[in-house]
Amino acid sequence: MKAEENYSQALAEYIALCDRGSSASFRELVRSANLISPFEAGALSQVVEKVRQTLKAG
């Protein structure tokens, strides 16, 4: 979803996340990458809604 908004920024954030891979817990990594944890309430529904919007546009 981030890559659709700004591919270059999303790629840079992904590479930075990979670089930090084994240095922190999963939750810390998610937070540091400014992502929504899949364990948070509502996380899945946000992704599903984005998929629905994308499929309607296609």
Side-chain angles (χ1 to χ4, degrees):
M1 291 178 3
K2 285 183 154 201
E4 287 183 16
E5 295 173 13
N6 185 329
Y7 180 80
S8 297
Q9 181 179 349
L11 181 58
E13 290 176 355
Y14 175 74
I15 291 170
L17 175 64
C18 291
D19 286 342
R20 291 188 300 268
S22 62
S23 66
S25 72
F26 175 78
R27 290 178 191 242
E28 291 170 327
L29 290 171
V30 168
R31 236 178 281 124
S32 73
N34 197 26
L35 296 171
I36 298 170
S37 170
F39 303 113
E40 289 184 31
L44 182 59
S45 63
Q46 289 180 18
V47 173
V48 169
E49 182 56 33
K50 182 63 176 177
V51 170
R52 282 186 180 145
Q53 292 172 3
T54 300
L55 291 175
K56 286 180 185 177

